[in-house]
Amino acid sequence: MRTTPSLRIAAILWGAAGFAGLWALWELAAFGVANDAVLPGPRVVLWQFERHAGGDRGLEFLGVEHSSYGINLAWTVGTAGLGWLIGSALGVAAGLGAARRQWLRDVTEPVLFVFGAVPVLVVAPLLLVWLGAGPVGKLTLVTFYCFVVVAVVAQSAALNLPPAVEEYAATLGLDAAARFRAVVLPAALPAIVAVLRLALATGISLQAGAELLGPRVGMGRLISLRAQQGNVGEVLSLSITLGLVAVLLDTAVRAAVAPALRWQG
Amino acid sequence: MSRPTGLEVRSLTVTYGSGPKAVTPLHDLDLDVPRGQFLCVLGPSGQGKSTLLRCLAGLLAPTAGTITALGEPVTGPSATRGMVFQQDAIPGWLRVADNVALGPRNRRLPESQWRPRVDHFVEAVGLRGRERAWPRELSGGMRKRVAVAAVFANDPDILLMDEPFASLDHLTRQGLHRTLLTLWQETGKTIVFVTHDVDEALALADRVVVIAGGGVRADAVVPFPRPRTDDLRMDATANALRTNLLHHLGV
Amino acid sequence: MITNKVWGVRLRTRARGRALVAGSLAGLVLWQVLAVIVGAVTTQGAHVVPPLPTIFTSGITGLSHFYKGGLGPATTIEGAPDSPGLAALAVGQNGLVTWGRFWAGYLLAVGLGLPAGLLVAGARPVRHAVGGVAGLLRMLPLLAMAPLFTLWFGATGRAGVLFVTFGAFWVVLLATSNAVANLPAHVTDYPRTLGLGPVRLRTRVVLPAILPQLRGALMLAAGTAWACVLASELYGIQSGLGWALNQTLVYSLVDQMIVLALLFAGLSLASLRLIDAVTGHLTRWTE
């Protein structure tokens, strides 16, 4: 489907209207509940953000060394991002390789079969015991998660290439390596980009989720402490901030790969 | 000296599957295609036309028998035997000019050697001005033109065409026939063109073979001078040939 | 499928059952070797990487602690010793709870997300408005928001189910509205000429037509739902396999931890297989 500029502007405007609607609904719901401890309105959450983003002495009494959003965000997103980079790179290589070489498929299949379906979070406790509450365990978790989802999608994308396209390239004289480079890789790219974006968002979520189980730093740690204090507004403020950073990163990834996907229209 | 043989097929047998489910679309088939000939292969659906073409292209290994192209045994796909597919097979992520340049560029020759060829064939198939277009922006007929230009630009000795224009409307198809014949006369390539349409075969070929029941059922020379027009439909000799071919097709 | 060797272009692989079996066996052997090595070189080794016999004995019977009573036999707190029978009761009790939470949350998400998606897709402006919001909500750190639901609904099963629904709902909603938007016009034009009304058009034509496209999203939603079940049980809720898993973490009972992780994996694999089979049956006309 072709999108004209006026349609795109309309889409943006309606998107904005959607957010305005969400805000209004939220305000209305909070007004109805009339208890900031249960459901604070968006303005209360914003006020929480302004008050605590720079740090909170109260948390420092609870043994949190760095309580400002910035450091914890950098920690969570940084660890998740590193895991995403390593895991995705390995996943693309393994997935595409497994689509082309039977022995590699045989080796990767058991892992991809199980963890393609079972949430990777299930190994989080084991990693905590083995690697401790430090960053290495969570880095391993996110890396492993990204590896699995990216490999599964890259493999099926390479296998879904219509055989005629590769046969056509072969009759033009392209050998297996040239076909991989000129046909398989570009054909699989849209699906790979989509799963890279999914893996980044879910990787951050997984990292923060694993941080609930008790490290010293990270947004998940702050969320868990605020939840123990019963501070719904602050939990929402932390979650939404992390979500917005994820959206920003997603937008950056999308913009970076846009030229390579223009052929799709 | 006689013209050197373009393609030589000897005792070609292809069997799919095994046991009671085995299917043998080609059985002990022999065929010679002289160099420079435009051969049309006719046949009912599912009777081995495409299987034969895939064997000639080196995309499918025969169960038995040999294929020789220009004196060399065929053991796999090669740039000397280009193929135009029935389906859309041109990569969607390459612009028109890049699609036409796909084969030559792969050989890592300096651009000065292949760029003129690419430009020439883009022009020859009528895509001048659309060089920067993406395939999705083109009609089905224009995408076929890209495929034809790409295979000619790669300069193979033999062109294999698997019902390439089957999905196109009559007028578009006629336009592509004219383009194909012009390029064939200009380059003198050997062409094996598979179709199930007798009139398409009579409009294009030097010679027509009918494949059915695993082997060659009929082999006829098409004697009409080119350019052939729609008047061929009125011609008594042509009608006799058409009736004969249709008879062998089981119609 | 062509069995002849394809010259040149044969670089396509397939899943082989025996590779799965061989891989699983290799994993078991590797584990045992690792357990022996770690056990030999460290004092806590057997505890950290328990050997297979330990996993298959105390790893299983130890689960008796998670039996909460109410099914006849006495619990370990009441003095009963660990036994395979009690362990089976414990697994049955907690597994059933987890299984129930998954299905309740997942089916609720599908039951709400599908009609919502069909409604949203009806008008382009609504699709853009809801699509943008859903796109943002999808980016929230879902797994870290489990505590929010415990704050709202207490450490109860209801919190778990609603958390699962919250996680999977957006996936279903977005996928449904996108699938409807991508539906070619002729699919609905023809039934319209037959005089189908808007409701019947959606339930009888649009829904079956988008189902093939939705299969992947329904699987993704199920995967998300399982992650949510686990997150909610790991954090706060006091029953289910995830809760038991968290207890093994608190007390560093690695042998039981592994058995529980395997059980959890088995349950989620089974449910995904079931969903795949059902959606496959519903879309069998496409193949």
Side-chain angles (χ1 to χ4, degrees), chain C:
Chain C
M1 190 63 217
I2 297 165
T3 54
N4 293 64
K5 196 178 77 167
V6 180
W7 291 350
V9 191
R10 55 174 155 154
L11 294 164
R12 258 154 221 266
T13 59
R14 59 207 169 81
R16 294 200 289 200
R18 62 192 152 128
L20 267 180
V21 174
S24 311
L25 286 177
L28 285 177
V29 171
L30 206 70
W31 179 275
Q32 184 63 20
V33 171
L34 198 71
V36 170
I37 294 173
V38 174
V41 296
T42 59
T43 47
Q44 284 285 307
H47 214 70
V48 177
V49 188
L52 292 181
T54 313
I55 293 176
F56 288 121
T57 52
S58 71
I60 292 172
T61 53
L63 299 180
S64 304
H65 295 283
F66 301 117
Y67 168 56
K68 293 178 171 172
L71 298 173
T75 63
T76 51
I77 297 172
E78 291 161 359
D82 289 358
S83 70
L86 276 191
L89 282 178
V91 168
Q93 209 171 35
N94 288 292
L96 220 58
V97 164
T98 302
W99 183 251
R101 279 180 197 143
F102 164 79
W103 283 110
Y106 176 70
L107 292 177
L108 204 58
V110 175
L112 294 172
L114 267 182
L118 288 174
L119 278 179
V120 164
R124 193 197 290 266
V126 183
R127 201 172 73 230
H128 286 310
V130 175
V133 170
L136 179 76
L137 290 176
R138 213 171 44 111
M139 300 301 277
L140 288 176
L142 181 64
L143 296 179
M145 290 171 77
L148 199 58
F149 284 77
T150 350
L151 277 179
W152 278 336
F153 304 102
T156 60
R158 196 162 58 128
V161 169
L162 290 175
F163 180 56
V164 172
T165 306
F166 176 75
F169 172 77
W170 305 108
V171 182
V172 180
L173 171 79
L174 274 177
T176 307
S177 80
N178 282 340
V180 177
N182 292 335
L183 212 57
H186 67 83
V187 175
T188 50
D189 283 349
Y190 168 64
R192 250 188 220 137
T193 63
L194 297 177
L196 258 73
V199 175
R200 280 167 67 97
L201 187 72
R202 281 182 175 74
T203 54
R204 298 284 170 83
V205 179
V206 175
L207 193 57
I210 60 169
L211 208 51
Q213 270 202 63
L214 276 188
R215 267 186 93 180
L218 289 175
M219 297 293 275
L220 180 68
T224 311
W226 273 113
C228 289
V229 173
L230 185 58
S232 70
E233 289 183 353
L234 279 176
Y235 190 93
I237 299 177
Q238 301 296 314
S239 60
L241 291 180
W243 161 74
L245 196 62
N246 192 34
Q247 294 298 301
T248 62
L249 172 65
V250 172
Y251 299 106
S252 292
L253 305 165
V254 179
D255 50 352
Q256 296 174 34
M257 185 186 286
I258 286 159
V259 175
L260 285 168
L262 287 175
L263 285 168
F264 187 86
L267 276 190
S268 55
L269 267 178
S271 70
L272 285 160
R273 287 257 136 156
L274 189 61
I275 292 165
D276 191 44
V278 170
T279 56
H281 183 75
L282 290 174
T283 57
R284 62 191 183 282
W285 53 274
T286 55
E287 273 123 43

Side-chain angles (χ1 to χ4, degrees), chain B residues 21 34 37 56 58 63 75 83 123 129 147 185 194 220-221 230 245:
Chain B
K21 280 185 179 174
Q37 186 170 70
L56 297 180
T63 314
T75 57
M83 184 146 164
E123 165 112 51
Q185 278 162 341
V194 164
V221 171
D230 273 356
L245 290 172

